[in-house]
Amino acid sequence: MRTASLWAMFMVACAVAPAPALEVPVLYLRQEVDRPPVLSNLDPVPENLGLAGAEVALKDAQTTGKFLGQTFRLDVVSVPPGDDFPAAAAAALATHRLVLIDAPAEAQLAVADLPGARDALLFNVSSGAARLRSGDCRANLLHTLPEDQARSDALMQVLQTRQWTELVMVVGPRPADQVFAAALETSAAKFGLRIAARKDWTFDTDLRDSTLEEIPRFTQDFPDHQVLLVADETDDFGRYLPDNAWLPRPVAGSDGMMPVAWAPVLESWGAVQLQNRFEDHANRPMRSQDYAAWVALRAIGEAATRTGSADPATLRAYLLGPAFELDGLKGRGLTFRGWNGQLRQPIPVVNARALIGMAPMPAFLHQRNEMDSLGLDEPESACTAFKE
Amino acid sequence: MRLLLSLLALLALPAQAEEIWVTNEKDDTISVIDVPTLTVVRTIPTGERPRGITFSPDHSLAYICASDSDAVQVMDAETGEILHDLPSGEDPEQFALSPDGRLLFIANEDDAVTTVVDTATRQVVGQIDVGIEPEGMAVSPDGKVAIATSETTSMAHWIDVATFTPFANTLVDSRPRHAEFTADGSRLWVSSEIGGTITVFETAGQTEVGKVRFKIPGVNADLIQPVGFVFTPDGKTAFVALGPANHVAVVDTESLEVTDYILVGRRVWHLAFSADHSKLFTTNGVSGDVTVIDVAARAAIQSIKVGRFPWGAALRP
């Protein structure tokens, strides 16, 4: 920490034409969660999921800042499961006004509603819950992770583009699975696809021993379909569905064709440079939550650079204003939705090895911005906190 | 008989025909287009992921940024043989040659550095810290100022060539990709891909004098992404490649207003004129071809299939 700030001071001293020095401290506030056990040990959730993205963005912001006499700092408060998260957040808000929150939806709201958060600027970098962008939105809480509905909309646009419109769905038992399944159903209806049947995954055996026997029989009584959807948001059983169902059909949703905020397979639009920086820093591929944290800190950096300010109200006004446009390395300039604080962004639909389509797909038009064909559009959001 | 005739035709070609060289980013090749016939006459292997390309002032040597080989390759333009690599730093994307042909300023995209190489001694003579993902490079006509633009930092860095130190850093719109001085050196143009603009600076004071903005009916604003651009010899007109908008804009350099849009191939990156400036060649990354524009008519006249993801283009007269 000490060497980092010394380095920052050195860089300021070296800047050629330093503007008035500005310090921009950012907090990464995390509620650690106990993750449920999953069938496979192959892809553990990284300890620094999200945080590593913020760290890479910090380096980006520091490099820009050194030319302008701005120093960026990233501090971390990580609260173990069971500890008093709102209390820790309240303490942290005494020193930090710019906060990335990595926590479930309820905990996001608990922080946003603290008296100390009233004039802070908060970024939800971990929850896709629709309620945070609708009835439970907060004026001080912006969102850089796409909502669940934006992901399901992106997938349905790609399937509709392929004219694969006859679907069936397997849904996991966890609440997040049910929520994503509901989003898939809404999106299917929105874009004119049909989910002809739905089955709940109830098996509790370890599939690694008997995949071949169980999955084909589980999927045998589905009506014929073109795509098998799976809602398995904790990455539990979905990986055993592709190439293993009764009928030879592609899998989509939480496995197979996946709508994500970010994936290691992205290479166009400058993505490969970010993938390289991230790999060098974290020694692992970059995931969606890493991207959400990266883009949040990048947005703070961009707003601080353009306004010369670290004041939350000034930054918020700039981020929600017409001048803000961020290069998110997904081919389109990113902006925030003025009605609920959600970052507008393309949603890549990928498989394990390649990009399949970058939604919004060409045929899906919108009167304001094509990216608003993904997720809660203004008339669909019950959010009023942003209408001053 | 026909074969004999074409053989004779080949023999009758002058020793040096007019050519456009196109780097194919995902084929690791250069497609050489013969300007009189508008056909690909040679395909030359290069290092990995070739992007920026330029010729020495006498056009005997081609310099090629082989990004994933971490090298700038020097090629005999006559034989296509790689003579040697220049030390380039990591991931070279674009570069600019000083007017005397001696110094090559190279943007190292993965390294936040501009590397300066002496082409005669093949030695690195300077490395300059710039912003994240440097890409656009330009050298002023008098050779005194070099420009590096950094994509993620969104700046143009003004570098004193005598000392290899930046003396100004100016913000532009998001994701600057390309920089060019006007022929008289009085102005600098910088394109911003995500910002969708070109920022024009007056070079004496490094002050912004205006912006070029684009609007194409029926094309979403966020798909209009200016990248490469070239000026006509009289300095009055600029042609700007607009990326996934699949158009080239024609810009009046005085008023900074767009006078025309020309439909070309998909995701147009860079452009190069024929020797007499009557034709303009655009590299279209996604459609894998080159569009030939009739400059006087302001219209596309032909597409030429090249390799996968054509990126850079340069004239060999």
Side-chain angles (χ1 to χ4, degrees):
Chain A
M1 200 63 208
R2 175 119 180 230
T3 49
S5 58
L6 275 176
W7 179 82
M9 283 164 63
F10 169 74
M11 296 318 288
V12 173
C14 284
V16 181
L22 177 73
E23 172 141 344
V24 188
V26 179
L27 177 69
Y28 191 91
L29 175 62
R30 175 169 60 187
Q31 163 76 75
E32 297 170 24
V33 291
D34 287 322
R35 300 193 190 275
V38 295
L39 287 174
S40 167
N41 303 322
L42 286 176
D43 294 301
V45 177
E47 295 275 327
N48 60 354
L49 182 66
L51 178 58
E55 288 166 350
V56 171
L58 176 70
K59 289 189 195 174
D60 293 357
Q62 283 171 335
T63 304
T64 304
K66 78 182 179 187
F67 296 108
L68 299 167
Q70 299 179 338
T71 53
F72 291 83
R73 207 178 73 222
L74 181 65
D75 299 316
V76 181
V77 170
S78 190
V79 183
D83 282 16
D84 189 342
F85 183 66
L93 280 165
T95 53
H96 288 78
R97 323 302 299 147
L98 302 169
V99 186
L100 314 188
I101 308 177
D102 173 356
E106 315 77 63
Q108 301 265 354
L109 289 178
V111 176
D113 290 340
L114 287 169
R118 194 165 301 142
D119 59 352
L121 183 56
L122 314 174
F123 293 81
N124 161 25
V125 298
S126 64
S127 171
R131 54 188 280 227
L132 296 181
R133 286 87 171 166
S134 192
D136 284 337
C137 71
R138 298 291 185 271
N140 57 352
L141 183 62
L142 306 181
H143 315 274
T144 55
L145 194 77
E147 70 254 52
D148 298 334
Q149 185 75 58
R151 291 165 52 229
S152 55
D153 281 349
L155 177 61
M156 293 305 162
Q157 286 192 3
V158 169
L159 296 181
Q160 181 59 264
T161 302
R162 295 278 181 284
Q163 301 184 31
W164 299 343
T165 55
E166 290 294 316
L167 317 173
V168 296
M169 179 159 68
V170 180
V171 182
R174 299 201 168 101
D177 304 337
Q178 306 291 329
V179 168
F180 189 52
L184 287 167
E185 283 171 342
T186 304
S187 298
K190 177 175 171 182
F191 293 113
L193 298 89
R194 197 171 78 97
I195 300 178
R198 167 179 168 154
K199 281 186 83 174
D200 290 324
W201 179 260
T202 53
F203 289 63
D204 52 10
T205 51
D206 185 343
L207 275 174
R208 279 178 299 184
D209 293 329
S210 49
T211 315
L212 288 175
E213 286 92 64
E214 294 186 17
I215 296 274
R217 271 179 279 144
F218 178 76
T219 53
Q220 186 175 3
D221 59 349
F222 271 131
D224 196 5
H225 51 275
Q226 291 170 309
V227 175
L228 173 59
L229 298 176
V230 54
D232 171 35
E233 288 294 272
T234 53
D235 195 19
D236 184 10
F237 63 93
R239 69 169 70 231
Y240 300 105
L241 283 177
D243 310 320
N244 207 20
W246 185 257
L247 291 173
R249 302 287 183 264
V251 170
S254 304
D255 211 290
M257 303 169 69
M258 293 174 287
V260 291
W262 189 259
V265 298
L266 302 180
E267 50 181 344
S268 291
W269 314 106
V272 70
Q273 276 75 243
L274 177 60
Q275 308 278 22
N276 291 345
R277 287 205 299 281
F278 188 91
E279 280 270 5
D280 286 348
H281 176 79
N283 293 311
R284 62 173 177 85
M286 189 166 179
R287 300 190 179 193
S288 290
Q289 279 194 45
D290 298 314
Y291 180 81
W294 177 83
V295 82
L297 209 153
R298 281 278 295 131
I300 293 172
E302 175 77 6
T305 298
R306 301 288 173 178
T307 60
S309 170
D311 169 52
T314 307
L315 298 184
R316 181 181 182 276
Y318 182 80
L319 291 173
L320 291 169
F324 175 74
E325 191 171 42
L326 188 70
D327 176 14
L329 309 177
K330 294 199 278 192
R332 292 172 185 249
L334 310 186
T335 50
F336 283 96
R337 288 179 180 147
W339 58 88
N340 65 2
Q342 171 67 48
L343 185 73
R344 270 188 196 96
Q345 55 189 306
I347 305 289
V349 176
V350 303
N351 62 31
R353 301 255 301 152
L355 174 69
I356 299 165
M358 184 70 90
M361 299 301 282
F364 295 88
L365 305 179
H366 190 280
Q367 68 277 17
R368 182 190 304 103
N369 183 315
E370 285 167 6
M371 286 184 276
D372 287 342
S373 66
L374 304 170
L376 286 175
D377 200 356
E378 191 164 12
E380 296 151 3
S381 169
C383 179
T384 54
F386 285 75
K387 297 190 178 101
E388 287 122 321
Chain B
M1 191 59 196
R2 199 154 165 193
L3 181 70
L4 186 66
L5 275 178
S6 53
L7 273 175
L8 282 171
L10 274 176
L11 290 171
L13 280 176
Q16 193 175 334
E18 181 185 353
E19 295 169 340
I20 298 287
W21 287 38
V22 172
T23 53
N24 299 309
E25 189 182 348
K26 299 216 168 168
D27 261 357
D28 301 348
T29 57
I30 288 170
S31 298
V32 178
I33 296 169
D34 177 56
V35 173
T37 59
L38 301 183
T39 53
V40 175
V41 290
R42 273 199 288 174
T43 301
I44 306 171
T46 66
E48 290 175 41
R49 204 175 176 207
R51 288 191 280 179
I53 178 166
T54 193
F55 287 97
S56 59
D58 66 0
H59 294 93
S60 64
L61 301 173
Y63 297 99
I64 299 141
C65 279
S67 299
D68 287 357
S69 299
D70 293 338
V72 167
Q73 300 189 307
V74 183
M75 183 181 282
D76 183 322
E78 204 56 53
T79 63
E81 187 190 340
I82 304 282
L83 301 174
H84 54 264
D85 287 355
L86 292 176
S88 69
E90 266 187 64
D91 196 19
E93 176 160 4
Q94 276 213 74
F95 47 27
L97 198 59
S98 60
D100 61 6
R102 196 172 66 86
L103 296 178
L104 197 59
F105 292 81
I106 305 165
N108 298 122
E109 190 167 23
D110 268 359
D111 243 11
V113 161
T114 292
T115 300
V116 190
V117 174
D118 185 319
T119 55
T121 64
R122 303 181 200 170
Q123 299 294 313
V124 172
V125 292
Q127 281 210 314
I128 303 146
D129 279 339
V130 293
I132 303 274
E133 293 175 35
E135 157 138 1
M137 292 292 322
V139 182
S140 61
D142 64 6
K144 288 182 178 161
V145 178
I147 301 291
T149 66
S150 44
E151 288 175 357
T152 295
T153 299
S154 298
M155 279 184 183
H157 308 279
W158 302 64
I159 298 163
D160 180 344
V161 172
T163 59
F164 296 147
T165 51
F167 61 92
N169 302 285
T170 48
L171 279 170
V172 295
D173 288 330
S174 254
R175 201 171 174 79
R177 291 301 296 254
H178 193 73
E180 288 281 346
F181 285 91
T182 52
D184 63 1
S186 67
R187 287 185 170 191
L188 174 77
W189 287 39
V190 178
S191 62
S192 293
E193 186 178 24
I194 292 295
T197 58
I198 287 181
T199 307
V200 180
F201 292 95
E202 173 265 316
T203 47
Q206 303 94 45
T207 46
E208 184 181 320
V209 293
K211 277 188 184 171
V212 185
R213 296 173 195 280
F214 307 90
K215 190 174 175 60
I216 308 174
V219 178
N220 246 53
D222 65 349
L223 292 179
I224 300 180
Q225 302 181 356
V227 193
F229 54 90
V230 289
F231 297 110
T232 52
D234 63 8
K236 288 184 178 160
T237 309
F239 289 84
V240 183
L242 294 178
N246 308 335
H247 281 76
V248 167
V250 186
V251 180
D252 179 323
T253 57
E254 253 334 292
S255 66
L256 304 184
E257 295 292 328
V258 179
T259 57
D260 220 336
Y261 291 101
I262 303 163
L263 183 64
V264 296
R266 295 178 60 203
R267 199 165 185 200
V268 53
W269 281 118
H270 286 282
L271 329 90
F273 280 114
S274 61
D276 63 2
H277 293 83
S278 68
K279 292 192 178 71
L280 183 63
F281 296 77
T282 75
T283 55
N284 310 320
V286 171
S287 49
D289 55 16
V290 163
T291 302
V292 185
I293 291 172
D294 180 325
V295 173
R298 305 271 192 265
I301 52 172
Q302 192 167 330
S303 297
I304 304 168
K305 185 182 182 311
V306 291
R308 289 185 295 179
F309 289 81
W311 199 91
L315 167 72
R316 182 171 173 250

